[in-house]
Amino acid sequence: MDKLNLILSFFILSCIVFIGIIFDIIGIAVTSADETPFHAMAAHKIPGGKEGVRLIRNADVVSNFCNDVIGDISGIISGAAGAAIVAKIISGKNDVSDIIISTLIAGMISTITVGGKALGKSIAIKKSKEIVYKVAYFLYLLKIRFGIELFPKKSGKY
């Protein structure tokens, strides 16, 4: 961050916070989604149907990865990025304006992260089927295009 200009630094910081919010939404959506519509999609061979079933059946693992791993990592990185931005902005004399700037930036990062995740949770619960389907379709494309399968088929139909 110290080699980037302020606008690019804030853009990267925003992307990091946004990634944390998106993964939090995915984790909540997977835990609150109903498996039934995805069985119907899989039965009709709709791309992403089988992946949706696998996501929901592995909701504990998906939620842990999305909410805890990615969420915690993005929180730590956004804090470090914010500190680097503050270091770039302040003059280094530790006067009152430097303290105010650092407090405002830390508050801004926290507000956007917590507010975004709070808003995202209600969206994830209300639109869980759509969100899970979009993630499942993305996983389907990864499988078709690159042969990457995150949840390989165990025993049984799906």
Side-chain angles (χ1 to χ4, degrees), residues 58-133:
N58 292 287
D60 56 338
V61 175
V62 174
S63 178
N64 181 52
F65 176 76
C66 290
N67 297 98
D68 298 333
V69 176
I70 300 298
D72 290 350
I73 290 171
S74 66
I76 291 166
I77 293 173
S78 67
I85 291 170
V86 167
K88 186 182 295 195
I89 293 173
I90 63 175
S91 60
K93 296 179 235 162
N94 282 338
D95 59 3
V96 175
S97 65
D98 291 347
I99 295 169
I100 291 172
I101 289 170
S102 64
T103 304
L104 288 174
I105 290 177
M108 178 190 73
I109 294 169
S110 300
T111 301
I112 293 170
T113 301
V114 173
K117 287 185 176 192
L119 181 64
K121 281 179 181 26
S122 64
I123 292 169
I125 292 169
K126 290 176 186 168
K127 299 199 176 277
S128 60
K129 179 184 167 195
E130 293 88 350
I131 293 166
V132 171
Y133 179 70

Side-chain angles (χ1 to χ4, degrees), residues 16-76:
I16 294 166
V17 171
F18 185 68
I19 288 169
I21 292 169
I22 292 298
F23 273 86
D24 195 62
I25 289 170
I26 293 168
I28 297 297
V30 169
T31 57
S32 64
D34 183 27
E35 195 174 319
T36 308
F38 294 97
H39 283 290
M41 288 180 201
H44 289 94
K45 301 196 185 303
I46 295 173
K50 290 179 184 179
E51 289 76 13
V53 171
R54 288 190 192 129
L55 281 170
I56 295 170
R57 285 191 176 170
N58 292 287
D60 56 338
V61 175
V62 174
S63 178
N64 181 52
F65 176 76
C66 290
N67 297 98
D68 298 333
V69 176
I70 300 298
D72 290 350
I73 290 171
S74 66
I76 291 166

Side-chain angles (χ1 to χ4, degrees), residues 131-151:
I131 293 166
V132 171
Y133 179 70
K134 287 178 183 176
V135 173
Y137 187 74
F138 176 75
L139 294 176
Y140 168 80
L141 292 176
L142 281 178
K143 182 174 72 173
I144 296 303
R145 184 77 143 162
F146 302 107
I148 299 170
E149 195 159 354
L150 296 180
F151 298 106

